[in-house]
Amino acid sequence: MNYQETLDYMFTKLPMYQRTGQAAYKANLDTTLALDEYFNHPHKKFKSIHVAGTNGKGSVSHTIASVLQSAGYKVGLYTSPHLKDFRERIKVNGELVSEDYVVDFIRKHQDKFEELCPSFFEMTVAMAFDFFADEKIDVAVVEVGLGGRLDSTNIISPELSVITNISKDHTNLLGSELAQIATEKAGIIKKNVPVIIGEKQEEVIDVFLRIASNNKSDLIFSEDRYMNQSSELIDNKRNLVYQSLENNSIINLSCDLLGLYQIKNIRTALCVFDELNSKGWGISEESMKHGVSGIVKNTGLLGRWQTIGNAPRVVCDTGHNVAGIKEIIEQIESMDYGKLHIVFGVVNDKDLTNILELMPKNASYYFSRADIPRALDQEVLAAKAKTYGLLGNTYLSVKEALEAAKTNALENDLVFVGGSTFVVAEVV
């Protein structure tokens, strides 16, 4: 098989959550452990940092990787889902795993995959860890796919565990209450391994305190370590000033991720660097500044309040649950523009009620669907949106909807594209 044929095999033969949803989710680690045994435990050949959470875990993972690269480490980065190319999931120092490696990996081990019938995600984790071991990396930054306790990445013994925040998403799998979801995310906490919590949320503090205590793990809330003093946009960078609440020192960072929500994510990452330095990692302030200023350049991160067009300004963001949509709306409200145009699509297992209640009514909507089986039909979406006063036309594809929005918009208008990671994937 060539690369495209290999991808076709992976996407069709192996159950894939982003395409089929709950049917691809496994409530145990049996297959992951069998694959780990087969590959001779590659994750034991490098250090790791494990990142979970509902929102922000991708940004935090890429930030950590960028700074560690700037500090001179050879860094593996495993994230999901991909937007344009499968290989985005597996990188070393910002370089995608090669097409040849992907093809050879599937070819060499296809018989084992046929025997074990792993999900797409289980196979991808095995590929990533095997590749990182082959590359002799110093450290891997590993983003949890879904949940934590039963996620395929949860076989690692990391230097640090990080949980960015807790909000309602994938409630059919993780539970409908925040405490239930927090318990699943906290499943990545390991014995005697420090854990950093990105946001102090009253509803789930007790969950983290209990599970960290049971594991004799130091628990650090980032809000107890750093306070943000300012977050101005300067020369198309977000200038972030933080004060240490331990020694009152100031750190001034210029960040190439422009979303206001990155204030919390960078604060979380600062705690990661403090903990690593307490273990002797030697990450200088200069490395932090260099790494934070070049996250996109160093890691190739896409879809986080990303400008993809000007006159009119076109911005996309992968935020897709209630907490993520709230952050996006706050960002939109902070901007100056003429009229707002929203290209919008969602997946069919999303709880739309709370999302549609939040969406701005004073906008023109362009309802569409991403080209995946899980996408909600654009006509169904438009009909539901109309009951919340959200009005617009429907389009057969995201690109067609975006072209219509750009045609209708004036130079000083704002066009936003979002609602689903898969909608954004078609425009970046």
Side-chain angles (χ1 to χ4, degrees), residues 246-272:
E246 294 189 330
N247 60 21
N248 291 324
S249 63
I250 299 293
I251 184 165
N252 192 319
L253 301 168
S254 179
C255 181
D256 64 349
L257 298 178
L258 303 182
L260 282 167
Y261 54 81
Q262 300 297 354
I263 295 169
K264 294 179 285 190
N265 294 331
I266 301 300
R267 182 186 68 201
T268 302
L270 287 175
C271 294
V272 170

Side-chain angles (χ1 to χ4, degrees), residues 19 38 44 125 175 202 264:
R19 297 183 67 83
Y38 170 72
K44 295 182 179 180
V125 170
E202 291 298 328
K264 294 179 285 190

Side-chain angles (χ1 to χ4, degrees), residues 208-243:
F208 294 137
L209 288 171
R210 171 175 53 81
I211 295 176
S213 175
N214 290 345
N215 283 280
K216 297 181 171 57
S217 301
D218 291 338
L219 183 69
I220 301 111
F221 290 99
S222 73
E223 287 163 84
D224 294 341
R225 287 275 183 97
Y226 287 96
M227 178 175 65
N228 177 255
Q229 292 190 328
S230 66
S231 58
E232 295 178 293
L233 278 176
I234 300 174
D235 296 331
N236 209 33
K237 293 277 183 83
R238 190 161 290 282
N239 193 60
L240 299 170
V241 180
Y242 294 93
Q243 178 184 1

Side-chain angles (χ1 to χ4, degrees), residues 15 38 49 58-59 74 116 166 168 175 184-185 215 217 231 236 250 252 275 314 338 358 390-391 418:
Y38 170 72
I49 298 164
S59 294
K74 188 173 185 180
L116 293 176
I166 304 298
K168 292 185 179 181
E184 290 299 314
K185 307 280 186 187
N215 283 280
S217 301
S231 58
N236 209 33
I250 299 293
N252 192 319
E275 288 303 303
V314 182
L358 291 171
L390 311 178
L391 305 177

Side-chain angles (χ1 to χ4, degrees), residues 29 47-53 57 60-61 64 78 121 125 129 139-164 184-190 193-197 268 272 276:
L29 293 174
K47 294 180 178 180
S48 57
I49 298 164
H50 207 186
V51 185
K57 62 183 183 289
V60 169
S61 296
I64 296 168
Y78 177 75
F121 191 81
V125 170
F129 291 175
V139 58
V141 183
V142 179
E143 180 193 3
V144 167
L146 195 158
R149 181 176 65 93
L150 298 173
D151 190 76
S152 296
T153 63
N154 202 28
I155 59 172
I156 60 177
S157 298
E159 300 291 298
L160 290 173
S161 303
V162 182
I163 301 172
T164 56
E184 290 299 314
K185 307 280 186 187
I188 71 166
I189 298 175
K190 304 295 194 305
V193 175
V195 55
I196 294 163
I197 308 297
T268 302
V272 170
L276 291 177

Side-chain angles (χ1 to χ4, degrees), residues 76-95:
L77 177 60
Y78 177 75
T79 59
S80 62
H82 64 272
L83 292 186
K84 303 299 286 184
D85 186 337
F86 163 79
R87 298 178 301 138
E88 294 166 30
R89 295 170 180 253
I90 305 170
K91 301 173 184 173
V92 171
N93 281 2
E95 295 293 323

